Amino acid sequence: MVLPSGFALPPLPYLAAVALAVLAVGWALARDRPPVTDRTVLAFAPWMVVGSSLYVCYQLEIFPEGVAPFFGSPIVYASTFAVAGATWLATRRTARPLAGLAGVGSALALLPVAAAVHHGWEAGTLNFAWPLAAVAAAVVLAPVAWLGVRRWRPRDAEIVGAAGVLAVFGHVLDGTSTAVGVDVLGFGEQTPLSALIMEFAAELPTAELLGVGWLFVLVKTVLACGVVVLLADYVREVRSEGFLLLAVVTAVGLGPGAHNVLLFVASNP
């Protein structure tokens, strides 16, 4: 098994509807060819939170049955892309397109976040302390890691800019939130490769004192920094495509990290 548990496609009508929307938006974006820069990656950050927060609401069974299949995993990310891409196209005609893209994404992110928090309040399962501790740890560790990248490869760090910082932060947040979930809150790790890392950490002499999540944090941080450095050459040679790929790398870190934090806030076991 190489896919996370919970990975399942929705019924065919839902899948077809989302596929058509993604194809239509993808075709329109390919035709319009908007430039992709480090600021574009930052503008899409709220949309990464939108997708992960919608999936949390799906896990908490907040959605009505008729629309819930749009928000399972992995289709929720395709659904989010379709809306985000359409918004990007619409805001391209405004004076500040990226500000508009980020603003709409931020406003939409508030809705599932508020719904999840309300669900936790009603169920008596709210827990802010440890999830926010994971965020605080990422806020501390990510700049330290980025400082290391800047000293190791200053030119590459300059090329990827703020998008590189966000990519590293997203993966560090995924690491710290996963560590808190596994070591403190008693959640299980859904991704097989991540589980293998923590199983290895459980065999080390440090397990009794430090738990098993610390090794996952270290691996995620090192890998994120290494991938960002490797992508710097691509960004240098093919700017838009390089930043687009960096956006994908950011999404697979920030999305799961935001998902973990909100799920832990709303459903303390």
Side-chain angles (χ1 to χ4, degrees):
M1 179 180 179
V2 295
L3 297 175
S5 60
F7 186 103
L9 294 176
L12 186 57
Y14 295 92
L15 184 61
V18 174
L20 286 173
V22 168
L23 286 173
V25 170
W27 175 83
L29 287 171
R31 183 181 179 185
D32 198 51
R33 297 185 66 85
V36 183
T37 67
D38 59 337
R39 295 186 63 188
T40 310
V41 179
L42 296 181
F44 269 102
W47 291 95
M48 300 172 194
V49 177
V50 169
S52 58
S53 301
L54 288 171
Y55 182 48
V56 170
C57 290
Y58 173 85
Q59 291 177 293
L60 298 176
E61 300 181 346
I62 293 174
F63 294 114
E65 288 185 11
V67 300
F70 285 114
F71 305 111
S73 176
I75 196 171
V76 64
Y77 304 109
S79 302
T80 303
F81 167 79
V83 178
T87 304
W88 191 13
L89 288 166
T91 58
R92 288 265 295 152
R93 276 67 184 172
T94 65
R96 300 183 64 191
L98 293 182
L101 177 64
V104 173
S106 298
L108 291 180
L110 290 175
L111 299 177
V113 169
V117 171
H118 180 264
H119 179 277
W121 174 269
E122 291 287 322
T125 55
L126 277 184
N127 171 31
F128 286 103
W130 281 108
L132 291 181
V135 175
V139 169
V140 172
L141 291 175
V144 173
W146 187 249
L147 180 61
V149 172
R150 289 185 61 184
R151 292 193 173 185
W152 172 40
R153 302 290 289 269
R155 181 56 181 159
D156 291 338
E158 182 182 352
I159 289 171
V160 295
V165 179
L166 181 63
V168 170
F169 172 77
H171 283 274
V172 173
L173 178 63
D174 184 23
T176 57
S177 59
T178 298
V180 165
V182 172
D183 283 334
V184 180
L185 300 179
F187 283 88
E189 174 52 43
Q190 293 184 327
T191 307
L193 290 177
S194 304
L196 284 174
I197 294 172
M198 284 181 275
E199 287 173 10
F200 176 76
E203 301 297 323
L204 299 176
T206 55
E208 203 170 311
L209 179 63
L210 300 178
V212 299
W214 68 270
L215 183 59
F216 183 66
V217 176
L218 178 61
V219 169
K220 287 284 289 185
T221 302
V222 171
L223 282 177
C225 292
V227 169
V228 167
V229 167
L230 288 175
L231 285 177
D233 284 338
Y234 194 16
V235 172
R236 184 187 295 111
E237 294 171 5
V238 192
R239 186 171 177 81
S240 285
E241 292 182 15
F243 275 121
L244 186 61
L245 185 55
L246 188 55
V248 174
V249 170
T250 303
V252 298
L254 183 58
H259 165 271
N260 290 346
V261 171
L262 183 59
L263 182 64
F264 299 163
V265 164
S267 60
N268 182 36

